[in-house]
Amino acid sequence: MTPAAQLAQGLSTLGIALPAPAQQKLLAYATLLAKWNRTYRLTAMSDPALAVSHHLLDSLALLPFVEVPPLLDVGSGGGMPGIPLAIARPDMPVVLLDSNSKKAAFLQQVAIELGLGNIAVHCGRVEEYRPTTGFAAITARAFSHLAEFVQLSRHLLAEDGQWLAMKGVWPQDEIAGLPAGVRVDGVHRLAVPGVEGERHLVVMSIGHAGNSGDS
């Protein structure tokens, strides 16, 4: 199956409808990622055959949970999930943040080459980032433990905003270690086409600490 067919089939399975130009940009992004990854180690997964499932579809599985812009992708690395989400939602402002200058350069290059005008790239540490306004959604994929993620980015979350943390297996210990004042709104099992391992999304907000079940 070609990457284009794999992407189209995966989007259908996820119930996500994207126009052909957006799908073409997603595939072009995967090509750029594979090219740059050979030199800069943007992602630990280097097999191009897994790019559609483990990078594109895995990121887009978050799309139904991104309700209100703007979005901040913390520790964006190779651009997941921020770039696929920005391609799928060209109306949504997305900031990609990474402290590694080479990774930030790649993110900027992708935005330029693919004409993603809704993307801004910030190179720096999340705890030192001081934008003028907060973010309605803050995402992270394999950035850190949940407690560290929310503590470092708490000043960036807008009122009524949500953290969207991508995890593998159910992170029970991490949820139990969340600081006071952080509420777990839901832990959602993500069924990503082509990804065999467990995938979960932990949705959190500022409130009374507590745990929530799977949905």
Side-chain angles (χ1 to χ4, degrees):
M1 185 182 298
T2 66
Q6 185 184 1
L7 176 61
Q9 186 180 85
L11 289 172
S12 177
T13 302
L14 290 173
I16 297 173
L18 292 182
Q23 294 188 41
Q24 291 165 4
K25 284 187 177 183
L26 286 166
L27 294 171
Y29 160 58
T31 299
L32 285 171
L33 182 63
K35 177 183 176 182
W36 281 60
N37 198 45
R38 288 192 291 268
T39 303
Y40 293 113
R41 291 283 297 171
L42 301 169
T43 172
M45 186 166 294
S46 58
D47 186 353
L50 299 177
V52 170
S53 57
H54 289 65
H55 295 326
L56 303 183
L57 296 176
D58 187 60
S59 297
L60 291 170
L62 268 69
L63 195 59
F65 301 94
V66 181
E67 299 176 355
V68 182
L71 180 144
L72 171 66
D73 186 22
V74 174
S76 193
M80 287 79 68
I83 289 178
L85 293 174
I87 292 173
R89 288 277 305 273
D91 60 310
M92 177 174 65
V94 175
V95 175
L96 309 175
L97 184 149
D98 202 281
S99 60
N100 184 297
S101 60
K102 291 181 180 179
K103 291 179 179 179
F106 166 75
L107 299 174
Q108 190 66 60
Q109 188 64 28
V110 171
I112 292 171
E113 288 199 28
L114 300 185
L116 304 177
N118 58 326
I119 280 181
V121 178
H122 179 82
C123 183
R125 300 176 65 85
V126 60
E127 63 268 31
E128 298 171 357
Y129 183 38
R130 292 292 188 277
T132 55
T133 58
F135 293 87
I138 301 179
T139 61
R141 188 174 92 151
F143 171 68
S144 66
H145 284 261
L146 293 177
E148 183 180 13
F149 172 45
V150 299
Q151 287 171 339
L152 292 177
S153 62
R154 188 165 183 164
H155 66 288
L156 298 169
L157 192 69
E159 185 177 357
D160 297 327
Q162 290 185 315
W163 287 284
L164 306 174
M166 302 181 71
K167 292 290 179 178
V169 298
W170 185 297
Q172 188 64 47
D173 292 342
E174 292 187 37
I175 289 173
L178 284 170
V182 175
R183 178 180 64 232
V184 176
D185 298 320
V187 182
H188 306 275
R189 186 184 298 273
L190 302 176
V192 182
V195 178
E196 295 182 359
E198 286 189 40
R199 303 294 290 141
H200 288 87
L201 175 67
V202 184
V203 182
M204 300 164 289
S205 60
I206 296 175
H208 296 293
N211 296 348
S212 177
D214 197 6
S215 63

